[in-house]
Amino acid sequence: MRRYIDFYLATMRISILEQIQYSVANYFYMIGMITEPVIYLVVWTTIARQQGGTTGGYTVGAFAAYYIIWTLVRNMNIVFTPFGWEWRIREGQLSMMLMRPIHPIHSDVAFFAGWKFVVILLWLPLAAILSWIFKPTFDIRWMEVIVFSLAIWGAYLIRTMLLSLLGMITFWTTRVSAIFELYFGFELILSGRLVPMTLMPVWIQNLSNYLPFKWTFFFPIEALVGNLTDVQLWSGFGMQLLWIATGIFLLNIIWNFAIKQYSAVGG
Amino acid sequence: MNPIKLALTYLRIGVLNEMQYRINFFIQLLQSFISVATGLIGLSLVFGQVETLAGWSRPELLAVMGVHLLMGGVIRSIIQPNMERLMDDVRNGTLDFALTKPADAQILVSVREFRFWQLVDVIVGIVVISIAFIQLNGTLGILQFFGFLSALIMGGIMLYSVWLMVTSISFWVIRVQEISNLFEGLYAAGRWPVGIYPSWLRTGLTFLVPVAFAVTIPAEALTNRLTGTSLLIALGMTLLFVVLSRGLWRLGLSNYSGASS
């Protein structure tokens, strides 16, 4: 256990130092990502205004709050991509990682976790500017803040598990980009990234209850900007833990099969 | 060397290259299908709530989506691959190989890559536009058609010029990959008519990243909103962007210090 903690701390420190050096590049990246929620926000506030101020229970200010918190949750959702796994496996880069006495997934989790601290820091001024422009309405209780600050890390871990599982398909075939795109399409609809889940048709909402996606997007945002009760907040966090555990379980099983397929091309 | 002949030669090489990977056609088709499907879901969510969005009806927004898809295909098949290769070449010092060739360097770096299968998006875009047009019960007059076509071509040239300007920054700054991400993000805004955006953003989408000219104005031509004035402004802007990008490219090039390897 001790060596894992040491490894995590060291890797996170390296990644923080590395990413601070590239803070301008990080900023460009984050600003590029902000256009997506701004587009959704503009479309939905236009609709809310046309309907006299509210749509599906969301006021103009509530939409603003949703999509501004969206930007932080989206950043927390950035993990080692399946395209990265494809590159790792196709180019044989994985061979090097397999030599180390620790599972390769740990270095991904630790590196991106360290990066998140830089991202959260850089996000604060962006959030301030967005709030100044779009005037969100917040009604926040301290319990919501606690669950939110846990839930963004829960979202990070769930998405790490999901995208690593997805990336591991590359062990069997290298024609994976279409599969990845299909996955991202489903995720867009079922996670609350496109619109708050409550605006979706009921059958999609029902479907999303049985899938991990909404716990990475809709739940963390709703935890802070919605009006969930304490029980709903903590049971939501419990669902996140359940999906993390499921993810780790599946990852272990599939990894054992997958690694036998690996033929270490190049590298 | 004749620039058109040069471009066609590279085009042919690009096509031959891509023909080796025919299955990519189906992969590309699936990807286009996914982006159309998510676009349609977005539209149906919007029109589940309202009849028109900022004065645009459902089939009219479908036309916007079609033009956005079509132009996106043009960007991804020609503009983006060439510009990304240029960024890599500047960073690695391999631009020398292009500069020493006896042709205009700007033309050369703009035609070297061609992703043939990405043109599937162009075709799917045309199909979406046609469906929108049928739903609109529109008739396409000859004047309207040429208005649409010229708006598209000018939009394409403007997008290319902006990409070239952004890429030219790589002569001074090393990590420009993030800038190209930024551009992609901003282009996504064209999925909706720029009129819905707040004025500061609309200005940016018109004059900094000409999404307005590339997507909204061609869509306006299809939906009978286009005036001769906006077409003239588009022409003026196209010329301005071409001159500016040429200037910045030459300035950057004079700053290029050559091979590092």
Side-chain angles (χ1 to χ4, degrees), chain A residues 22 25 28-29 31-32 35 39 42-44 47 50-51 55 133 175 177-178 181-182 189 195 200, chain B residues 23-24 27 30-31 34 45-46 49 52-54 175 178 181-182 185-186 188-189 192 196-197:
Chain A
Y22 288 114
F28 271 121
Y29 187 72
I31 294 171
T35 52
I39 295 165
V42 167
V43 170
W44 286 99
I47 294 170
Q50 269 174 241
Q51 292 191 323
T55 286
I133 296 172
R175 295 194 173 281
S177 59
E181 296 292 335
L182 196 62
I189 306 298
V195 291
M200 282 288 180
Chain B
I23 196 132
N24 284 3
I27 292 176
L30 182 66
Q31 285 179 353
I34 294 165
L45 285 175
V46 167
Q49 304 284 347
T52 60
L53 181 70
R175 244 174 89 168
E178 277 76 9
N181 276 329
L182 178 64
L186 288 171
W192 305 93
I196 70 166
Y197 296 108

mmCIF file of all heavy atoms in Angstrom, chain A residues 22 25 28-29 31-32 35 39 42-44 47 50-51 55 133 175 177-178 181-182 189 195 200, chain B residues 23-24 27 30-31 34 45-46 49 52-54 175 178 181-182 185-186 188-189 192 196-197:
data_model
loop_
_atom_site.group_PDB
_atom_site.id
_atom_site.type_symbol
_atom_site.label_atom_id
_atom_site.label_comp_id
_atom_site.label_asym_id
_atom_site.label_seq_id
_atom_site.Cartn_x
_atom_site.Cartn_y
_atom_site.Cartn_z
ATOM 1 N N TYR A 22 3.036 24.370 -19.064
ATOM 2 C CA TYR A 22 2.268 24.545 -20.294
ATOM 3 C C TYR A 22 0.946 25.228 -20.007
ATOM 4 O O TYR A 22 -0.072 24.880 -20.591
ATOM 5 C CB TYR A 22 1.993 23.185 -20.942
ATOM 6 C CG TYR A 22 3.213 22.550 -21.554
ATOM 7 C CD1 TYR A 22 3.740 21.373 -21.043
ATOM 8 C CD2 TYR A 22 3.835 23.143 -22.644
ATOM 9 C CE1 TYR A 22 4.859 20.790 -21.595
ATOM 10 C CE2 TYR A 22 4.948 22.567 -23.212
ATOM 11 C CZ TYR A 22 5.459 21.387 -22.680
ATOM 12 O OH TYR A 22 6.559 20.817 -23.245
ATOM 13 N N ALA A 25 -0.839 26.756 -23.095
ATOM 14 C CA ALA A 25 -1.426 25.722 -23.948
ATOM 15 C C ALA A 25 -2.655 25.122 -23.284
ATOM 16 O O ALA A 25 -3.683 24.898 -23.932
ATOM 17 C CB ALA A 25 -0.391 24.637 -24.229
ATOM 18 N N PHE A 28 -5.575 27.523 -23.775
ATOM 19 C CA PHE A 28 -6.166 27.433 -25.112
ATOM 20 C C PHE A 28 -7.077 26.224 -25.204
ATOM 21 O O PHE A 28 -8.181 26.293 -25.741
ATOM 22 C CB PHE A 28 -5.073 27.337 -26.181
ATOM 23 C CG PHE A 28 -4.621 28.665 -26.676
ATOM 24 C CD1 PHE A 28 -3.302 29.052 -26.567
ATOM 25 C CD2 PHE A 28 -5.521 29.538 -27.267
ATOM 26 C CE1 PHE A 28 -2.889 30.291 -27.014
ATOM 27 C CE2 PHE A 28 -5.114 30.774 -27.722
ATOM 28 C CZ PHE A 28 -3.794 31.143 -27.593
ATOM 29 N N TYR A 29 -6.603 25.132 -24.642
ATOM 30 C CA TYR A 29 -7.367 23.895 -24.683
ATOM 31 C C TYR A 29 -8.693 24.074 -23.953
ATOM 32 O O TYR A 29 -9.748 23.695 -24.450
ATOM 33 C CB TYR A 29 -6.538 22.787 -24.042
ATOM 34 C CG TYR A 29 -7.153 21.428 -24.176
ATOM 35 C CD1 TYR A 29 -7.165 20.788 -25.416
ATOM 36 C CD2 TYR A 29 -7.710 20.789 -23.088
ATOM 37 C CE1 TYR A 29 -7.732 19.543 -25.550
ATOM 38 C CE2 TYR A 29 -8.274 19.542 -23.218
ATOM 39 C CZ TYR A 29 -8.281 18.923 -24.448
ATOM 40 O OH TYR A 29 -8.852 17.691 -24.579
ATOM 41 N N ILE A 31 -10.267 26.908 -23.227
ATOM 42 C CA ILE A 31 -11.145 27.867 -23.895
ATOM 43 C C ILE A 31 -11.828 27.195 -25.091
ATOM 44 O O ILE A 31 -13.014 27.377 -25.338
ATOM 45 C CB ILE A 31 -10.365 29.121 -24.335
ATOM 46 C CG1 ILE A 31 -9.870 29.876 -23.096
ATOM 47 C CG2 ILE A 31 -11.248 30.039 -25.170
ATOM 48 C CD1 ILE A 31 -8.911 30.994 -23.404
ATOM 49 N N GLY A 32 -11.057 26.365 -25.808
ATOM 50 C CA GLY A 32 -11.632 25.632 -26.936
ATOM 51 C C GLY A 32 -12.792 24.767 -26.483
ATOM 52 O O GLY A 32 -13.805 24.644 -27.168
ATOM 53 N N THR A 35 -16.448 26.436 -25.755
ATOM 54 C CA THR A 35 -17.439 26.758 -26.785
ATOM 55 C C THR A 35 -18.602 25.770 -26.780
ATOM 56 O O THR A 35 -19.733 26.174 -27.000
ATOM 57 C CB THR A 35 -16.813 26.802 -28.190
ATOM 58 O OG1 THR A 35 -16.107 25.599 -28.399
ATOM 59 C CG2 THR A 35 -15.891 27.977 -28.337
ATOM 60 N N ILE A 39 -22.479 26.966 -26.545
ATOM 61 C CA ILE A 39 -23.458 26.727 -27.608
ATOM 62 C C ILE A 39 -24.753 26.180 -27.018
ATOM 63 O O ILE A 39 -25.838 26.703 -27.274
ATOM 64 C CB ILE A 39 -22.897 25.737 -28.653
ATOM 65 C CG1 ILE A 39 -21.698 26.340 -29.373
ATOM 66 C CG2 ILE A 39 -23.968 25.340 -29.652
ATOM 67 C CD1 ILE A 39 -20.885 25.330 -30.148
ATOM 68 N N VAL A 42 -26.564 28.861 -24.961
ATOM 69 C CA VAL A 42 -27.245 29.879 -25.760
ATOM 70 C C VAL A 42 -28.535 29.329 -26.352
ATOM 71 O O VAL A 42 -29.587 29.959 -26.285
ATOM 72 C CB VAL A 42 -26.301 30.410 -26.871
ATOM 73 C CG1 VAL A 42 -27.092 31.209 -27.886
ATOM 74 C CG2 VAL A 42 -25.190 31.230 -26.273
ATOM 75 N N VAL A 43 -28.458 28.102 -26.900
ATOM 76 C CA VAL A 43 -29.655 27.497 -27.499
ATOM 77 C C VAL A 43 -30.756 27.361 -26.455
ATOM 78 O O VAL A 43 -31.901 27.774 -26.687
ATOM 79 C CB VAL A 43 -29.319 26.117 -28.109
ATOM 80 C CG1 VAL A 43 -30.594 25.383 -28.502
ATOM 81 C CG2 VAL A 43 -28.424 26.278 -29.320
ATOM 82 N N TRP A 44 -30.414 26.846 -25.272
ATOM 83 C CA TRP A 44 -31.458 26.564 -24.276
ATOM 84 C C TRP A 44 -31.958 27.811 -23.573
ATOM 85 O O TRP A 44 -33.128 27.878 -23.198
ATOM 86 C CB TRP A 44 -31.002 25.487 -23.294
ATOM 87 C CG TRP A 44 -31.038 24.177 -23.993
ATOM 88 C CD1 TRP A 44 -29.990 23.513 -24.552
ATOM 89 C CD2 TRP A 44 -32.205 23.418 -24.314
ATOM 90 N NE1 TRP A 44 -30.426 22.387 -25.194
ATOM 91 C CE2 TRP A 44 -31.781 22.298 -25.069
ATOM 92 C CE3 TRP A 44 -33.575 23.566 -24.069
ATOM 93 C CZ2 TRP A 44 -32.683 21.347 -25.553
ATOM 94 C CZ3 TRP A 44 -34.459 22.607 -24.535
ATOM 95 C CH2 TRP A 44 -34.006 21.517 -25.278
ATOM 96 N N ILE A 47 -34.450 29.260 -25.927
ATOM 97 C CA ILE A 47 -35.726 28.550 -25.826
ATOM 98 C C ILE A 47 -36.468 28.959 -24.557
ATOM 99 O O ILE A 47 -37.672 29.250 -24.595
ATOM 100 C CB ILE A 47 -35.496 27.027 -25.843
ATOM 101 C CG1 ILE A 47 -34.943 26.616 -27.211
ATOM 102 C CG2 ILE A 47 -36.787 26.271 -25.556
ATOM 103 C CD1 ILE A 47 -34.451 25.213 -27.271
ATOM 104 N N GLN A 50 -37.991 32.281 -25.016
ATOM 105 C CA GLN A 50 -39.153 32.219 -25.910
ATOM 106 C C GLN A 50 -40.375 31.672 -25.189
ATOM 107 O O GLN A 50 -41.502 32.010 -25.513
ATOM 108 C CB GLN A 50 -38.839 31.324 -27.125
ATOM 109 C CG GLN A 50 -38.265 32.091 -28.310
ATOM 110 C CD GLN A 50 -37.828 31.185 -29.454
ATOM 111 O OE1 GLN A 50 -36.672 31.159 -29.819
ATOM 112 N NE2 GLN A 50 -38.759 30.439 -30.015
ATOM 113 N N GLN A 51 -40.123 30.801 -24.194
ATOM 114 C CA GLN A 51 -41.246 30.211 -23.465
ATOM 115 C C GLN A 51 -41.566 30.989 -22.198
ATOM 116 O O GLN A 51 -42.231 30.470 -21.314
ATOM 117 C CB GLN A 51 -40.930 28.762 -23.115
ATOM 118 C CG GLN A 51 -40.871 27.875 -24.342
ATOM 119 C CD GLN A 51 -40.822 26.416 -23.966
ATOM 120 O OE1 GLN A 51 -40.195 26.058 -22.979
ATOM 121 N NE2 GLN A 51 -41.471 25.579 -24.754
ATOM 122 N N THR A 55 -37.908 26.443 -19.088
ATOM 123 C CA THR A 55 -38.128 25.277 -19.937
ATOM 124 C C THR A 55 -37.807 24.045 -19.106
ATOM 125 O O THR A 55 -36.717 23.961 -18.542
ATOM 126 C CB THR A 55 -37.198 25.311 -21.161
ATOM 127 O OG1 THR A 55 -37.702 26.296 -22.055
ATOM 128 C CG2 THR A 55 -37.194 23.991 -21.891
ATOM 129 N N ILE A 133 -20.727 36.900 -17.481
ATOM 130 C CA ILE A 133 -21.437 37.061 -18.752
ATOM 131 C C ILE A 133 -22.858 36.498 -18.668
ATOM 132 O O ILE A 133 -23.815 37.138 -19.095
ATOM 133 C CB ILE A 133 -20.680 36.347 -19.897
ATOM 134 C CG1 ILE A 133 -19.308 36.988 -20.112
ATOM 135 C CG2 ILE A 133 -21.471 36.407 -21.196
ATOM 136 C CD1 ILE A 133 -18.437 36.226 -21.083
ATOM 137 N N ARG A 175 -8.906 -1.392 -35.654
ATOM 138 C CA ARG A 175 -9.876 -0.509 -36.318
ATOM 139 C C ARG A 175 -10.940 -0.115 -35.309
ATOM 140 O O ARG A 175 -12.022 -0.665 -35.280
ATOM 141 C CB ARG A 175 -10.539 -1.232 -37.480
ATOM 142 C CG ARG A 175 -9.568 -1.560 -38.553
ATOM 143 C CD ARG A 175 -10.287 -1.956 -39.813
ATOM 144 N NE ARG A 175 -9.332 -2.117 -40.872
ATOM 145 C CZ ARG A 175 -8.797 -1.121 -41.542
ATOM 146 N NH1 ARG A 175 -9.122 0.114 -41.266
ATOM 147 N NH2 ARG A 175 -7.931 -1.356 -42.502
ATOM 148 N N SER A 177 -11.651 3.361 -34.254
ATOM 149 C CA SER A 177 -12.127 4.736 -34.156
ATOM 150 C C SER A 177 -13.652 4.812 -34.265
ATOM 151 O O SER A 177 -14.295 5.584 -33.564
ATOM 152 C CB SER A 177 -11.466 5.609 -35.211
ATOM 153 O OG SER A 177 -11.738 5.103 -36.476
ATOM 154 N N ALA A 178 -14.257 3.961 -35.114
ATOM 155 C CA ALA A 178 -15.713 4.007 -35.272
ATOM 156 C C ALA A 178 -16.404 3.569 -33.981
ATOM 157 O O ALA A 178 -17.408 4.144 -33.574
ATOM 158 C CB ALA A 178 -16.148 3.126 -36.430
ATOM 159 N N GLU A 181 -16.241 6.434 -31.575
ATOM 160 C CA GLU A 181 -17.189 7.499 -31.911
ATOM 161 C C GLU A 181 -18.609 7.108 -31.501
ATOM 162 O O GLU A 181 -19.374 7.933 -31.010
ATOM 163 C CB GLU A 181 -17.161 7.806 -33.410
ATOM 164 C CG GLU A 181 -15.843 8.354 -33.930
ATOM 165 C CD GLU A 181 -15.524 9.749 -33.415
ATOM 166 O OE1 GLU A 181 -16.474 10.464 -33.071
ATOM 167 O OE2 GLU A 181 -14.337 10.091 -33.334
ATOM 168 N N LEU A 182 -18.942 5.845 -31.726
ATOM 169 C CA LEU A 182 -20.262 5.359 -31.364
ATOM 170 C C LEU A 182 -20.462 5.512 -29.852
ATOM 171 O O LEU A 182 -21.501 5.987 -29.381
ATOM 172 C CB LEU A 182 -20.385 3.889 -31.772
ATOM 173 C CG LEU A 182 -21.787 3.298 -31.827
ATOM 174 C CD1 LEU A 182 -22.628 4.018 -32.859
ATOM 175 C CD2 LEU A 182 -21.724 1.816 -32.169
ATOM 176 N N ILE A 189 -25.589 11.626 -25.306
ATOM 177 C CA ILE A 189 -27.035 11.638 -25.088
ATOM 178 C C ILE A 189 -27.389 11.203 -23.659
ATOM 179 O O ILE A 189 -28.269 11.771 -23.027
ATOM 180 C CB ILE A 189 -27.732 10.677 -26.086
ATOM 181 C CG1 ILE A 189 -27.327 11.003 -27.526
ATOM 182 C CG2 ILE A 189 -29.245 10.725 -25.924
ATOM 183 C CD1 ILE A 189 -27.711 12.354 -28.001
ATOM 184 N N VAL A 195 -27.885 17.950 -22.787
ATOM 185 C CA VAL A 195 -28.874 18.732 -22.023
ATOM 186 C C VAL A 195 -29.038 18.051 -20.670
ATOM 187 O O VAL A 195 -28.726 16.876 -20.538
ATOM 188 C CB VAL A 195 -30.255 18.784 -22.715
ATOM 189 C CG1 VAL A 195 -30.216 19.587 -23.977
ATOM 190 C CG2 VAL A 195 -30.784 17.385 -22.960
ATOM 191 N N MET A 200 -34.701 15.217 -21.245
ATOM 192 C CA MET A 200 -34.735 14.111 -22.200
ATOM 193 C C MET A 200 -36.100 13.406 -22.126
ATOM 194 O O MET A 200 -36.767 13.459 -21.100
ATOM 195 C CB MET A 200 -33.634 13.108 -21.838
ATOM 196 C CG MET A 200 -32.257 13.537 -22.272
ATOM 197 S SD MET A 200 -32.133 13.408 -24.051
ATOM 198 C CE MET A 200 -30.451 13.945 -24.306
ATOM 199 N N ILE B 23 -11.967 -0.125 -46.399
ATOM 200 C CA ILE B 23 -12.895 -0.317 -45.279
ATOM 201 C C ILE B 23 -13.103 1.005 -44.534
ATOM 202 O O ILE B 23 -14.134 1.219 -43.910
ATOM 203 C CB ILE B 23 -12.402 -1.432 -44.338
ATOM 204 C CG1 ILE B 23 -13.532 -1.905 -43.408
ATOM 205 C CG2 ILE B 23 -11.231 -0.995 -43.512
ATOM 206 C CD1 ILE B 23 -13.679 -3.384 -43.347
ATOM 207 N N ASN B 24 -12.118 1.911 -44.664
ATOM 208 C CA ASN B 24 -12.266 3.220 -44.024
ATOM 209 C C ASN B 24 -13.484 3.976 -44.529
ATOM 210 O O ASN B 24 -14.010 4.835 -43.831
ATOM 211 C CB ASN B 24 -11.016 4.072 -44.272
ATOM 212 C CG ASN B 24 -9.865 3.626 -43.402
ATOM 213 O OD1 ASN B 24 -10.005 2.649 -42.672
ATOM 214 N ND2 ASN B 24 -8.754 4.314 -43.483
ATOM 215 N N ILE B 27 -16.199 2.944 -42.241
ATOM 216 C CA ILE B 27 -15.980 3.540 -40.919
ATOM 217 C C ILE B 27 -16.384 5.007 -40.948
ATOM 218 O O ILE B 27 -17.092 5.494 -40.065
ATOM 219 C CB ILE B 27 -14.504 3.375 -40.502
ATOM 220 C CG1 ILE B 27 -14.218 1.893 -40.261
ATOM 221 C CG2 ILE B 27 -14.194 4.201 -39.261
ATOM 222 C CD1 ILE B 27 -12.809 1.566 -39.937
ATOM 223 N N LEU B 30 -20.115 5.354 -41.024
ATOM 224 C CA LEU B 30 -20.697 5.155 -39.694
ATOM 225 C C LEU B 30 -20.521 6.411 -38.843
ATOM 226 O O LEU B 30 -21.450 6.850 -38.160
ATOM 227 C CB LEU B 30 -20.035 3.950 -39.013
ATOM 228 C CG LEU B 30 -20.575 3.589 -37.629
ATOM 229 C CD1 LEU B 30 -22.018 3.124 -37.731
ATOM 230 C CD2 LEU B 30 -19.732 2.510 -36.972
ATOM 231 N N GLN B 31 -19.323 7.020 -38.942
ATOM 232 C CA GLN B 31 -19.081 8.230 -38.150
ATOM 233 C C GLN B 31 -19.990 9.376 -38.584
ATOM 234 O O GLN B 31 -20.516 10.099 -37.744
ATOM 235 C CB GLN B 31 -17.612 8.636 -38.251
ATOM 236 C CG GLN B 31 -16.734 7.726 -37.413
ATOM 237 C CD GLN B 31 -15.270 8.071 -37.488
ATOM 238 O OE1 GLN B 31 -14.854 8.919 -38.257
ATOM 239 N NE2 GLN B 31 -14.472 7.391 -36.689
ATOM 240 N N ILE B 34 -23.333 8.762 -37.170
ATOM 241 C CA ILE B 34 -23.418 9.096 -35.744
ATOM 242 C C ILE B 34 -23.598 10.603 -35.564
ATOM 243 O O ILE B 34 -24.434 11.051 -34.775
ATOM 244 C CB ILE B 34 -22.162 8.617 -34.988
ATOM 245 C CG1 ILE B 34 -22.099 7.089 -34.991
ATOM 246 C CG2 ILE B 34 -22.166 9.118 -33.543
ATOM 247 C CD1 ILE B 34 -20.763 6.538 -34.594
ATOM 248 N N LEU B 45 -34.960 17.588 -29.622
ATOM 249 C CA LEU B 45 -35.098 18.096 -28.251
ATOM 250 C C LEU B 45 -35.538 19.553 -28.270
ATOM 251 O O LEU B 45 -36.428 19.958 -27.528
ATOM 252 C CB LEU B 45 -33.776 17.979 -27.494
ATOM 253 C CG LEU B 45 -33.378 16.585 -27.035
ATOM 254 C CD1 LEU B 45 -31.987 16.617 -26.414
ATOM 255 C CD2 LEU B 45 -34.379 16.048 -26.034
ATOM 256 N N VAL B 46 -34.890 20.329 -29.168
ATOM 257 C CA VAL B 46 -35.226 21.750 -29.261
ATOM 258 C C VAL B 46 -36.674 21.929 -29.706
ATOM 259 O O VAL B 46 -37.444 22.660 -29.097
ATOM 260 C CB VAL B 46 -34.269 22.465 -30.239
ATOM 261 C CG1 VAL B 46 -34.794 23.850 -30.584
ATOM 262 C CG2 VAL B 46 -32.881 22.563 -29.639
ATOM 263 N N GLN B 49 -39.771 21.518 -27.629
ATOM 264 C CA GLN B 49 -40.146 22.610 -26.733
ATOM 265 C C GLN B 49 -40.785 23.791 -27.466
ATOM 266 O O GLN B 49 -41.695 24.415 -26.963
ATOM 267 C CB GLN B 49 -38.914 23.120 -25.972
ATOM 268 C CG GLN B 49 -38.179 22.061 -25.185
ATOM 269 C CD GLN B 49 -38.908 21.682 -23.906
ATOM 270 O OE1 GLN B 49 -39.832 22.363 -23.495
ATOM 271 N NE2 GLN B 49 -38.511 20.582 -23.296
ATOM 272 N N THR B 52 -40.286 27.474 -33.387
ATOM 273 C CA THR B 52 -39.152 28.039 -34.121
ATOM 274 C C THR B 52 -38.096 28.481 -33.116
ATOM 275 O O THR B 52 -38.419 28.839 -31.984
ATOM 276 C CB THR B 52 -39.564 29.287 -34.934
ATOM 277 O OG1 THR B 52 -40.069 30.265 -34.025
ATOM 278 C CG2 THR B 52 -40.602 28.961 -35.986
ATOM 279 N N LEU B 53 -36.839 28.445 -33.551
ATOM 280 C CA LEU B 53 -35.753 28.899 -32.684
ATOM 281 C C LEU B 53 -35.184 30.181 -33.294
ATOM 282 O O LEU B 53 -34.576 30.138 -34.366
ATOM 283 C CB LEU B 53 -34.662 27.835 -32.575
ATOM 284 C CG LEU B 53 -33.497 28.191 -31.667
ATOM 285 C CD1 LEU B 53 -33.922 28.190 -30.211
ATOM 286 C CD2 LEU B 53 -32.346 27.221 -31.875
ATOM 287 N N ALA B 54 -35.396 31.289 -32.617
ATOM 288 C CA ALA B 54 -34.929 32.592 -33.095
ATOM 289 C C ALA B 54 -35.331 32.830 -34.545
ATOM 290 O O ALA B 54 -34.541 33.338 -35.347
ATOM 291 C CB ALA B 54 -33.417 32.729 -32.920
ATOM 292 N N ARG B 175 3.790 24.937 -29.177
ATOM 293 C CA ARG B 175 2.642 24.038 -29.031
ATOM 294 C C ARG B 175 1.394 24.689 -29.595
ATOM 295 O O ARG B 175 0.726 25.446 -28.917
ATOM 296 C CB ARG B 175 2.447 23.662 -27.564
ATOM 297 C CG ARG B 175 2.657 22.179 -27.321
ATOM 298 C CD ARG B 175 2.615 21.831 -25.857
ATOM 299 N NE ARG B 175 1.270 21.519 -25.382
ATOM 300 C CZ ARG B 175 1.054 20.954 -24.185
ATOM 301 N NH1 ARG B 175 2.050 20.660 -23.379
ATOM 302 N NH2 ARG B 175 -0.174 20.698 -23.789
ATOM 303 N N GLU B 178 -3.104 22.970 -29.499
ATOM 304 C CA GLU B 178 -4.250 23.443 -28.723
ATOM 305 C C GLU B 178 -5.016 24.519 -29.482
ATOM 306 O O GLU B 178 -6.219 24.650 -29.329
ATOM 307 C CB GLU B 178 -3.801 23.984 -27.366
ATOM 308 C CG GLU B 178 -3.601 22.917 -26.311
ATOM 309 C CD GLU B 178 -2.318 22.127 -26.482
ATOM 310 O OE1 GLU B 178 -1.477 22.513 -27.331
ATOM 311 O OE2 GLU B 178 -2.163 21.120 -25.776
ATOM 312 N N ASN B 181 -7.329 22.842 -31.675
ATOM 313 C CA ASN B 181 -8.487 22.400 -30.886
ATOM 314 C C ASN B 181 -9.476 23.528 -30.698
ATOM 315 O O ASN B 181 -10.685 23.343 -30.794
ATOM 316 C CB ASN B 181 -8.041 21.938 -29.493
ATOM 317 C CG ASN B 181 -7.579 20.512 -29.519
ATOM 318 O OD1 ASN B 181 -8.058 19.717 -30.296
ATOM 319 N ND2 ASN B 181 -6.615 20.203 -28.680
ATOM 320 N N LEU B 182 -8.929 24.706 -30.401
ATOM 321 C CA LEU B 182 -9.763 25.886 -30.195
ATOM 322 C C LEU B 182 -10.596 26.161 -31.442
ATOM 323 O O LEU B 182 -11.790 26.429 -31.384
ATOM 324 C CB LEU B 182 -8.863 27.082 -29.872
ATOM 325 C CG LEU B 182 -9.528 28.439 -29.673
ATOM 326 C CD1 LEU B 182 -10.427 28.414 -28.473
ATOM 327 C CD2 LEU B 182 -8.475 29.522 -29.501
ATOM 328 N N GLY B 185 -13.382 23.729 -31.799
ATOM 329 C CA GLY B 185 -14.452 24.050 -30.857
ATOM 330 C C GLY B 185 -15.318 25.181 -31.382
ATOM 331 O O GLY B 185 -16.549 25.113 -31.337
ATOM 332 N N LEU B 186 -14.652 26.217 -31.925
ATOM 333 C CA LEU B 186 -15.411 27.360 -32.428
ATOM 334 C C LEU B 186 -16.222 26.988 -33.666
ATOM 335 O O LEU B 186 -17.339 27.464 -33.853
ATOM 336 C CB LEU B 186 -14.469 28.524 -32.743
ATOM 337 C CG LEU B 186 -13.875 29.212 -31.525
ATOM 338 C CD1 LEU B 186 -12.803 30.201 -31.937
ATOM 339 C CD2 LEU B 186 -14.958 29.916 -30.732
ATOM 340 N N ALA B 188 -17.683 24.294 -34.192
ATOM 341 C CA ALA B 188 -18.890 23.595 -33.740
ATOM 342 C C ALA B 188 -20.048 24.566 -33.518
ATOM 343 O O ALA B 188 -21.217 24.190 -33.612
ATOM 344 C CB ALA B 188 -18.611 22.807 -32.470
ATOM 345 N N ALA B 189 -19.715 25.839 -33.229
ATOM 346 C CA ALA B 189 -20.764 26.842 -33.018
ATOM 347 C C ALA B 189 -21.607 27.045 -34.276
ATOM 348 O O ALA B 189 -22.741 27.507 -34.206
ATOM 349 C CB ALA B 189 -20.150 28.162 -32.582
ATOM 350 N N TRP B 192 -25.499 25.969 -35.304
ATOM 351 C CA TRP B 192 -26.697 26.799 -35.166
ATOM 352 C C TRP B 192 -26.445 28.119 -35.889
ATOM 353 O O TRP B 192 -25.295 28.561 -35.970
ATOM 354 C CB TRP B 192 -27.001 27.058 -33.692
ATOM 355 C CG TRP B 192 -27.112 25.804 -32.905
ATOM 356 C CD1 TRP B 192 -26.107 25.192 -32.210
ATOM 357 C CD2 TRP B 192 -28.255 24.953 -32.765
ATOM 358 N NE1 TRP B 192 -26.571 24.025 -31.637
ATOM 359 C CE2 TRP B 192 -27.878 23.861 -31.969
ATOM 360 C CE3 TRP B 192 -29.560 25.027 -33.240
ATOM 361 C CZ2 TRP B 192 -28.765 22.835 -31.640
ATOM 362 C CZ3 TRP B 192 -30.445 24.009 -32.909
ATOM 363 C CH2 TRP B 192 -30.042 22.926 -32.120
ATOM 364 N N ILE B 196 -28.321 33.492 -33.224
ATOM 365 C CA ILE B 196 -28.813 33.222 -31.879
ATOM 366 C C ILE B 196 -27.799 33.602 -30.805
ATOM 367 O O ILE B 196 -28.148 33.700 -29.642
ATOM 368 C CB ILE B 196 -29.236 31.743 -31.684
ATOM 369 C CG1 ILE B 196 -28.031 30.805 -31.670
ATOM 370 C CG2 ILE B 196 -30.251 31.310 -32.702
ATOM 371 C CD1 ILE B 196 -28.377 29.418 -31.152
ATOM 372 N N TYR B 197 -26.539 33.796 -31.195
ATOM 373 C CA TYR B 197 -25.515 34.053 -30.175
ATOM 374 C C TYR B 197 -25.527 35.509 -29.717
ATOM 375 O O TYR B 197 -25.913 36.401 -30.474
ATOM 376 C CB TYR B 197 -24.131 33.672 -30.707
ATOM 377 C CG TYR B 197 -24.012 32.204 -30.994
ATOM 378 C CD1 TYR B 197 -23.962 31.720 -32.297
ATOM 379 C CD2 TYR B 197 -23.988 31.293 -29.955
ATOM 380 C CE1 TYR B 197 -23.888 30.358 -32.555
ATOM 381 C CE2 TYR B 197 -23.917 29.938 -30.203
ATOM 382 C CZ TYR B 197 -23.861 29.471 -31.501
ATOM 383 O OH TYR B 197 -23.796 28.140 -31.743
#
